[in-house]
Amino acid sequence: MKKFAIFMLALALVSSLVQCSKRKNPADPVIPQGLIWTLTFESRSISGDVMQDPPARDVLVYTPPGYDEYDSTTTYPVLYLLHGYGGDHTYFNALFSLKDLMDELIYKGEIEPMIVVTPNATNALGGSFYTNSYYPTDSTQSFGGLMQNFLTDEVVSLIDSVFHTSADRAHRGIAGHSMGGYGAVKLAMLRNDLFSSASSMSGPLAFWGGYPADTTFLGVLELMPYVFAENGFVPGNTHEDTVAFYSIAPGPTKRLTNMIFAMAIAFSPHDPNNPDTSYAHLFNTPGTGFVGKVDLPFGVDGQVALPIWNLWMAQDVTALYSAGYGAVFANTDLYVDAGADDELGMQGQAQVFYIVAGASIDQYQEYSGFDNIYPADHTSFVGERLRDVLKFHNRSFNP
Amino acid sequence: MAKRIAKILRAPGRRGIESSPGFILSVALLVLTLTAGHVFAGGFALSGVGSKAINMGGAFRGLADDWSAAYWNPAGLTQLEKSEFTFMAVGISPRVEYTPRITYGGLDVGYRNGGVRYPNDKTTFVPDVAGFFKLEDLEGITAGVAVFVPNGLASDWDLFNPSPSMDIRFDFPVYDHKSDLKVFDIHPTVAKAFMDGKLSLGAGVSIQNGRIVFQKTILKPSGFPIPHENLLIDTKIKGDGWGYGANFGILYKLSDRLQFGLSGKTGTTLKLEGTSTQVLYALDNEELKNILIANAEASGVSPAEIALIRALFGMSNLKATPSAKADLKTPGDIGFGIAYKPSKKLTLTGEVVYTRWSALDSILIDLEGTDPVGQPSEDFPIMLNWDNTVRFSAGAEYRALESLALRFGYYLDPSPVPSSTFTPLIPDPGDKNSFNIGAALNFGGIELSYNFEYINFGDKNITELSDVNGDGLFDNYPGLFESSLYASHVSFTYRF
């Protein structure tokens, strides 16, 4: 009985101790923080163009935790991250929390520290398509800025001179979303001496999917009916149709029209010395009073205007790849993705590029959404895809 | 407290307890109101009522020989040889662990995935109080009032962790998931013996008061790109109300050694009323705001929608306090028990009880007012879809001495909560194996007893999110749940 009493007392004591003990949840990790820098410089490539875009350009730079501006012995690879249409240098950090994402991935050891650079390559109509904009008949006169040169000649040099970079091709990558994805793959082809890896997230990589000829997939041309609708234009051959055709112009609520005009500024500005104005459309840039003309790649009948369309196709990534530029990708790591519900048709363009250039692509993925709550449209999953892109380039930098 | 009450009872000039049920009831309510706190739940029912009954594994419908018969089998009250007053307190420590794995389509939306999480551990105390009276002038009738806590649960969790990339302007609550449910049952009961005491019938009325606090994080798709794809809404609902039910029981003594009990209770519906507090956390990202507004203006959306974007990025959270109403059901049950005395010193009991948890299909919180963005509040369903259960219990009492009884008990009780609606707010993950050991000491008209209870729960591993009613809100929490529970039951009984 005495033993039982002792047992019961011990039980009560143990039970009290257990019942009073409080377990603690693990403390939140303290994630080392990188830094965001914004550099501003006067670009030679953008000064003196017809559109008079401001040459003062901002460049956002992420430096990883531990980056020491006084320690030149430690160098870092650099990823050039190109923003999409309508964005600027703040695009990735504002929309997709680039800094927090970088800090997290480095903290978790999923990537090694790297520098990320996002230059402002926009223009008055929302996007330069990272292309040198010349009059087709005069390659000495910049119309909308030499945006390819701006990036490959000026920004790369600037970054290598200001920051402690591993300034060689093997440690330099280029990536982007949408227009930026197009620019990344194109510049990796045209300036393969600079970049050893390239990524496109939902980039327009096949303007005309059926290259060289296919009517089942129209690529960028799929957007034209929406452009017509934004302008109240119905293709036809009456006087009213013609008036409506030449009235197609950018406007505050014409998102697709603005984008098509931005592409035309990059690919097909109307040369004032060209007497054929069949496809020429006037536009002005908000706030500057500038009035210019571009050739759009369709006629009053709504059909493709081949003389203009061919200028566009000369800048098409899939066409360039097939024309021989793709050979350089033999020594370039290449990533391509798209969302399965891309409202701008980029999934189809990615698929066409994959058919043509699949042998060169190291990682290809199409993102599906999550039920109907989070569709994988043009922008919704970029924050997640950016993780994959950063890891992809990290593997390229650290084979 | 017990000493103080006993002193009051003996004070000169005061009326005896047997003639003062109103006093007992008021004391009981006071005690419960002051001390009932955070409680563990199985489903949301406790192990039972009464130290002796729980000590014998809840196998008590066939024995039912103390005040707690009011809960288990009211017919058993006829076995009380004297009037009695009881106070009981239970200290309960649930030890739940949860390893969350909550992603939406593989997307990490902010839950603390990967590591073990613990609730805000608390040892909490549940009191029961009762007084029962042998009515001398009405032979064979026993009547009285018990006040007990048959149902309750509570847990506070820190499960959501807004990442810096979500750009929440203000700190999110640490404990973002909370439940606190208490049901007090004021239980007037009467029992009468027939056939020279061989057959007893009893019945009671449940006058139940329920109080509920419920808090969770709701993710509302924003339409903005990842990582801003969700708006965070901290939702808290608080209410109380009354409900009514009844129980009944039959006890039949086949011999001095063997008796049977059959008893059951109706379910109750507590009509709860209160308020809901919904706080939508403002975003702090000026550049994102400007991009969204520019895109919205380019897309020609209405000024009201643009104003909403500005408000979402404002300098204060958006808050709404719609009124809330809900019906909270508690389940009915029916059970059969047996008590056998192979010797004068030993009593063995067994019981099986069927609980109709399926009555709890959902709790619909009816909200009246506007939500944080100024739209009419939508009703808020808490999906349950619980399963009926059958619990098996066995117990033993051994009278080692005239004044000392040793007690042992065990029960096996499945969890009624399916994986599709399981949440850490009602942390009853799997089959419960309850082990009890205790003792009671009698001296004079007083009995003191102590019981230690350990419950081991089966693990629950939930692999998939479930949206039971298809409303776009998820009704379960994927991850691994492990749990055990320690409880100490102490009781004081005065018989007179």
Side-chain angles (χ1 to χ4, degrees):
Chain A
M1 185 52 55
K2 192 174 177 182
K3 287 180 182 174
F4 186 81
I6 293 170
F7 173 72
M8 290 302 294
L9 283 172
L11 197 58
L13 181 63
V14 169
S15 136
S16 301
L17 289 174
V18 170
Q19 291 183 228
C20 291
S21 70
K22 186 176 175 68
R23 299 164 299 175
K24 284 187 177 177
N25 286 309
D28 288 336
V30 178
I31 299 177
Q33 301 289 300
L35 286 176
I36 291 290
W37 311 66
T38 303
L39 312 182
T40 304
F41 77 106
E42 294 282 324
S43 167
R44 298 187 307 276
S45 304
I46 303 174
S47 62
D49 60 76
V50 174
M51 279 180 61
Q52 300 173 351
D53 278 304
R57 290 284 155 166
D58 292 326
V59 181
L60 180 142
V61 181
Y62 167 85
T63 54
Y67 180 85
D68 182 352
E69 53 191 304
Y70 301 106
D71 175 14
S72 60
T73 61
T74 305
T75 60
Y76 298 86
V78 183
L79 177 65
Y80 291 86
L81 193 53
L82 310 186
H83 64 77
Y85 175 78
D88 58 21
H89 58 293
T90 66
Y91 184 79
F92 282 100
N93 204 39
L95 276 176
F96 311 118
S97 299
L98 173 68
K99 177 190 169 298
D100 296 323
L101 179 57
M102 289 296 299
D103 290 344
E104 178 200 332
L105 292 178
I106 293 170
Y107 171 76
K108 289 179 175 174
E110 296 183 23
I111 63 172
E112 296 295 320
M114 68 173 80
I115 293 171
V116 182
V117 177
T118 299
N120 179 1
T122 190
N123 63 16
L125 282 186
S128 65
F129 283 80
Y130 300 93
T131 296
N132 289 338
S133 167
Y134 292 115
Y135 285 130
T137 53
D138 181 1
S139 62
T140 62
Q141 178 57 56
S142 164
F143 179 75
L146 306 181
M147 291 297 186
Q148 175 185 320
N149 295 355
F150 160 71
L151 194 130
T152 57
D153 296 346
E154 295 187 275
V155 174
V156 171
S157 300
L158 174 75
I159 297 302
D160 284 342
S161 65
V162 173
F163 294 93
H164 304 312
T165 64
S166 303
D168 56 36
R169 178 181 182 275
H171 295 94
R172 202 180 284 127
I174 187 166
H177 171 236
S178 190
M179 177 185 83
Y182 161 82
V185 177
K186 190 171 95 168
L187 297 186
M189 269 197 290
L190 300 181
R191 290 303 305 272
N192 194 250
D193 58 311
L194 289 178
F195 306 106
S196 62
S197 55
S199 298
S200 168
M201 294 176 278
S202 298
L205 302 182
F207 289 173
W208 197 350
Y211 182 84
D214 184 352
T215 57
T216 59
F217 179 78
L218 299 177
V220 170
L221 296 174
E222 283 187 345
L223 302 177
M224 296 309 169
Y226 301 101
V227 174
F228 298 165
E230 282 184 350
N231 292 275
F233 166 62
V234 179
N237 53 15
T238 67
H239 174 70
E240 289 76 15
D241 298 333
T242 304
V243 171
F245 173 70
Y246 287 109
S247 298
I248 293 175
T253 60
K254 299 178 184 177
R255 194 170 183 193
L256 288 176
T257 304
N258 295 346
M259 189 176 76
I260 292 298
F261 270 79
M263 294 176 82
I265 289 169
F267 308 142
S268 56
H270 181 77
D271 190 334
N273 297 317
N274 181 359
D276 183 0
T277 58
S278 305
Y279 310 110
H281 291 256
L282 278 170
F283 72 97
N284 58 49
T285 56
T288 67
F290 170 80
V291 178
K293 274 185 184 177
V294 292
D295 288 325
L296 296 183
F298 52 85
V300 69
D301 58 357
Q303 298 301 306
V304 174
L306 277 177
I308 311 304
W309 184 241
N310 287 338
L311 295 173
W312 286 42
M313 291 302 294
Q315 302 293 336
D316 175 46
V317 166
T318 301
L320 287 168
Y321 183 94
S322 298
Y325 285 96
V328 300
F329 280 151
N331 67 345
T332 303
D333 296 326
L334 188 58
Y335 167 105
V336 173
D337 79 21
D341 295 305
D342 192 308
E343 69 278 21
L344 298 179
M346 298 307 166
Q347 181 193 21
Q349 297 204 36
Q351 289 172 345
V352 169
F353 183 67
Y354 183 77
I355 291 169
V356 175
S360 300
I361 297 175
D362 297 280
Q363 187 172 339
Y364 176 87
Q365 47 197 14
E366 293 181 14
Y367 278 75
S368 57
F370 181 47
D371 293 343
N372 293 319
I373 301 173
Y374 306 104
D377 60 22
H378 191 60
T379 53
S380 62
F381 271 68
V382 175
E384 281 299 293
R385 290 186 251 167
L386 190 53
R387 290 174 180 269
D388 292 336
V389 165
L390 293 167
K391 291 177 193 173
F392 176 81
H393 287 278
N394 177 68
R395 288 194 295 274
S396 179
F397 297 148
N398 304 282
Chain B
M1 176 65 79
K3 279 186 179 177
R4 188 170 141 236
I5 292 172
K7 191 174 176 183
I8 292 170
L9 293 175
R10 286 197 297 272
R14 285 198 176 269
R15 301 174 66 193
I17 189 171
E18 64 275 21
S19 58
S20 181
F23 168 76
I24 293 172
L25 180 60
S26 60
V27 170
L29 282 172
L30 178 65
V31 168
L32 288 171
T33 304
L34 291 178
T35 58
H38 295 76
V39 182
F40 168 75
F44 52 69
L46 301 175
S47 282
V49 166
S51 180
K52 179 177 181 179
I54 295 171
N55 203 164
M56 297 180 77
F60 208 61
R61 287 169 203 256
L63 188 59
D65 63 350
D66 72 3
W67 71 272
S68 68
Y71 171 83
W72 297 98
N73 181 354
L77 290 170
T78 60
Q79 301 175 102
L80 270 58
E81 293 177 357
K82 296 180 178 178
S83 298
E84 72 177 48
F85 171 80
T86 290
F87 172 77
M88 172 182 158
V90 187
I92 300 177
S93 288
R95 311 294 282 183
V96 191
E97 297 179 13
Y98 173 37
T99 307
R101 288 191 304 270
I102 306 173
T103 59
Y104 289 4
L107 201 62
D108 189 343
V109 291
Y111 288 93
R112 293 182 178 277
N113 289 330
V116 175
R117 306 298 299 174
Y118 305 112
N120 185 18
D121 287 329
K122 296 172 186 172
T123 296
T124 54
F125 297 92
V126 184
D128 297 322
V129 183
F132 279 93
F133 324 101
K134 295 294 287 187
L135 301 180
E136 303 298 341
D137 298 336
L138 295 167
E139 193 174 335
I141 291 183
T142 305
V145 178
V147 184
F148 48 78
V149 181
N151 299 298
L153 67 86
S155 58
D156 301 351
W157 293 88
D158 173 14
L159 295 180
F160 198 84
N161 179 33
S163 70
S165 62
M166 297 176 84
D167 293 323
I168 302 301
R169 188 179 292 279
F170 301 101
D171 288 343
F172 203 65
V174 174
Y175 290 105
D176 39 56
H177 286 66
K178 293 185 183 182
S179 60
D180 190 347
L181 167 68
K182 294 187 270 283
V183 177
F184 307 120
D185 193 327
I186 304 166
H187 207 83
T189 308
V190 62
K192 180 172 172 51
F194 302 93
M195 300 168 59
D196 295 329
K198 277 195 163 187
L199 175 70
S200 297
L201 302 178
V205 175
S206 282
I207 304 165
Q208 294 191 341
N209 178 262
R211 300 171 187 189
I212 186 170
V213 176
F214 182 86
Q215 181 179 2
K216 69 181 286 189
T217 304
I218 292 179
L219 303 181
K220 187 178 178 65
S222 65
F224 305 157
I226 294 169
H228 304 96
E229 75 277 20
N230 289 308
L231 300 173
L232 291 188
I233 303 176
D234 176 44
T235 299
K236 190 173 188 178
I237 295 160
K238 192 174 182 181
D240 58 34
W242 294 85
Y244 307 93
N247 69 341
F248 68 93
I250 303 169
L251 188 76
Y252 185 74
K253 294 185 178 182
L254 193 63
S255 68
D256 289 343
R257 292 190 168 190
L258 184 63
Q259 62 187 47
F260 305 97
L262 175 70
S263 63
K265 65 172 180 281
T266 64
T268 59
T269 300
L270 294 154
K271 300 284 186 184
L272 305 176
E273 293 189 16
T275 57
S276 168
T277 304
Q278 301 170 343
V279 179
L280 193 161
Y281 276 72
L283 302 176
D284 181 16
N285 187 328
E286 195 66 16
E287 291 164 340
L288 175 62
K289 181 182 87 171
N290 292 336
I291 291 170
L292 293 172
I293 289 175
N295 287 346
E297 287 173 343
S299 304
V301 304
S302 68
E305 290 177 73
I306 292 173
L308 177 57
I309 294 173
R310 292 186 197 282
L312 293 175
F313 288 84
M315 293 306 294
S316 59
N317 293 331
L318 305 181
K319 187 175 177 180
T321 54
S323 64
K325 289 182 183 175
D327 288 351
L328 174 66
K329 296 172 185 172
T330 61
D333 67 26
I334 187 163
F336 174 77
I338 183 171
Y340 177 60
K341 296 181 180 176
S343 69
K344 282 190 175 179
K345 288 189 173 182
L346 182 62
T347 303
L348 302 175
T349 61
E351 178 176 309
V352 57
V353 60
Y354 172 80
T355 304
R356 197 168 165 271
W357 285 110
S358 62
L360 281 75
D361 50 356
S362 68
I363 302 171
L364 181 65
I365 313 287
D366 179 12
L367 298 175
E368 299 259 341
T370 56
D371 66 14
V373 296
Q375 299 296 312
S377 293
E378 294 180 5
D379 292 347
F380 180 74
I382 301 171
M383 299 307 297
L384 299 173
N385 282 1
W386 284 7
D387 301 320
N388 298 327
T389 60
V390 177
R391 169 170 133 164
F392 298 94
S393 308
E397 180 184 68
Y398 180 70
R399 289 224 158 257
L401 299 170
E402 187 63 31
S403 59
L404 178 68
L406 311 180
R407 292 169 184 154
F408 307 92
Y410 166 80
Y411 71 74
L412 169 63
D413 188 15
S415 169
V417 190
S419 293
S420 60
T421 62
F422 191 91
T423 83
L425 296 176
I426 304 179
D428 180 8
D431 291 351
K432 294 176 283 296
N433 285 279
S434 167
F435 303 91
N436 291 269
I437 182 169
L441 194 60
N442 289 279
F443 50 91
I446 292 174
E447 179 181 294
L448 295 175
S449 72
Y450 172 77
N451 170 42
F452 173 73
E453 180 180 18
Y454 169 73
I455 304 178
N456 178 262
F457 291 72
D459 297 347
K460 186 180 280 289
N461 190 13
I462 300 174
T463 55
E464 291 184 355
L465 276 173
S466 175
D467 179 9
V468 173
N469 58 344
D471 64 353
L473 297 175
F474 296 99
D475 301 305
N476 67 348
Y477 281 62
L480 177 63
F481 292 86
E482 301 167 273
S483 187
S484 58
L485 178 145
Y486 301 87
S488 288
H489 306 249
V490 179
S491 78
F492 165 86
T493 301
Y494 177 63
R495 298 190 176 93
F496 50 95

